[in-house]
Amino acid sequence: MNQESFTTSQLGLPILEVKNLTRRFGGLVAVNDVSFTITQFEIFGLIGPNGAGKTTLFNLMTGFITPSSGQLLYHGADFSQLHPHQIASLGIGRTFQNIRLFAELSALENVRIARDCRIKTNTFKGIFGLPPAPREEQKSKQKALELLELVGLGERLDEKAKNFSYGDQRRLEIARALALEPQILLLDEPAAGMNPNEKQQLSKFIRNLRDKFHLTIILIEHHVPLVMGLCDRIAVLDFGQLIALGEPSVVRSNQAVIEAYLGND
Ligand SMILES: Nc1ncnc2c1ncn2[C@@H]1O[C@H](COP(=O)(O)OP(=O)(O)OP(=O)(O)O)[C@@H](O)[C@H]1O
């Protein structure tokens, strides 16, 4: 196990269950009868070759698409038919493989929009479309500033998102997802576009996020050393099917995984 501040006994309560989940696109079965359970505070990796169904699984978990069959349970309740904003307000936040920031808005504005959405969906005033009280406004700004500081962008609040490097845009997306105060954070290829130095720091950063916010983290990642060093457990997909699930050392030596994805190196 790869956690410093969480003990094995603290891991264990199911937070997200994937039950016989299938998604078809016409004749193609992108996710094929996949089942597994993710426990609270786990860092859970999803790996597999291109086109294996990883992003489709993320899109199912966040309501961007609905399952053809099967169930998704969050704290035991089926959420597979909910819309993305409903799932976000339940406490499941995400970043995207192809970064989706508001390019023309500043870093601060990008985070504040997410923060304000959370307030709108969770407060009486928000529900009735009233503007937030000045104190809430101030609190919201303060929280956004803290998150930007946390991801290392505290000095660049007013810069437009489009002017950030790839790695910094990924960090900004994480700050934006955290503004929704999720319990589960889904990261779609967080290391993509990062330089070797940034990649090295990413493991520590993700583990710190889990510890600080008591998060459960699910990540898709092609950078195998990062996944193996960071994740508590790893699920391997191939042609939509779950071919292996377990701790990194177990997955690494699984023959089917070596053949489908890792190779013999
Ligand atoms: N909206 C869609 N319509 C039709 N086919 C789709 C759609 N989304 C995904 N697919 C197909 O489903 C399969 C799984 O795709 P998916 O993007 O989930 O794979 P992936 O494991 O995330 O791949 P990568 O590592 O390249 O991102 C692929 O064959 C893809 O072409």
Side-chain angles (χ1 to χ4, degrees):
M1 285 277 172
N2 290 303
Q3 53 267 344
E4 284 142 16
S5 47
F6 282 80
T7 63
T8 323
S9 62
Q10 281 173 297
L11 295 169
L13 291 176
I15 185 165
L16 192 139
E17 290 168 73
V18 176
K19 284 190 163 178
N20 305 107
L21 200 65
T22 295
R23 171 67 204 208
R24 294 189 186 85
F25 294 110
L28 179 94
V29 192
V31 171
N32 192 354
D33 197 25
V34 169
S35 298
F36 55 81
T37 298
I38 296 177
T39 55
Q40 243 169 347
F41 314 129
E42 195 168 25
I43 300 180
F44 189 92
L46 210 47
I47 64 172
N50 292 331
K54 305 178 295 294
T55 297
T56 302
L57 196 47
F58 260 32
N59 287 340
L60 290 163
M61 288 173 177
T62 48
F64 285 79
I65 53 175
T66 49
S68 305
S69 59
Q71 279 185 308
L72 283 162
L73 308 181
Y74 177 59
H75 290 295
D78 192 332
F79 68 96
S80 55
Q81 304 300 322
L82 297 184
H83 296 290
H85 70 277
Q86 294 171 309
I87 294 175
S89 63
L90 276 182
I92 303 179
R94 75 174 289 182
T95 66
F96 295 87
Q97 186 177 5
N98 307 310
I99 297 170
R100 295 190 193 180
L101 291 164
F102 297 106
E104 293 295 334
L105 297 187
S106 71
L108 183 60
E109 286 164 335
N110 266 282
V111 178
R112 286 203 63 186
I113 283 177
R115 182 81 199 157
D116 292 348
C117 282
R118 199 191 82 82
I119 291 171
K120 280 205 178 93
T121 47
N122 289 338
T123 66
F124 180 79
K125 278 191 159 200
I127 288 161
F128 289 98
L130 302 169
R135 230 181 89 226
E136 269 169 30
E137 184 97 357
Q138 189 50 38
K139 230 174 98 185
S140 155
K141 185 174 177 192
Q142 188 54 37
K143 184 79 190 169
L145 290 172
E146 281 169 24
L147 289 172
L148 285 163
E149 192 73 44
L150 179 90
V151 299
L153 299 174
E155 308 287 310
R156 305 174 62 192
L157 306 174
D158 297 322
E159 278 182 53
K160 283 186 180 181
K162 69 174 184 189
N163 294 333
F164 282 46
S165 72
Y166 223 61
D168 288 340
Q169 290 193 14
R170 294 218 169 270
R171 270 193 283 272
L172 180 53
E173 261 209 326
I174 291 175
R176 189 175 64 173
L178 290 172
L180 293 165
E181 298 187 5
Q183 289 187 35
I184 301 182
L185 179 63
L186 284 79
L187 302 174
D188 198 341
E189 296 197 29
M194 289 193 171
N195 63 42
N197 188 30
E198 288 174 319
K199 274 184 193 164
Q200 241 180 4
Q201 292 169 7
L202 192 62
S203 277
K204 195 166 167 229
F205 174 69
I206 291 174
R207 214 171 280 143
N208 284 344
L209 286 184
R210 186 267 304 270
D211 293 351
K212 185 173 167 66
F213 296 103
H214 302 283
L215 291 170
T216 302
I217 295 179
I218 311 173
L219 58 101
I220 296 175
E221 188 48 66
H222 282 289
H223 186 55
V224 173
L226 177 77
V227 178
M228 293 290 168
L230 171 65
C231 296
D232 298 307
R233 285 191 307 150
I234 296 170
V236 189
L237 289 179
D238 188 31
F239 291 112
Q241 286 184 313
L242 184 67
I243 59 165
L245 173 66
E247 291 186 15
S249 56
V250 175
V251 165
R252 192 202 298 270
S253 55
N254 180 300
Q255 198 52 38
V257 178
I258 291 169
E259 278 165 24
Y261 187 57
L262 295 179
N264 289 306
D265 305 333

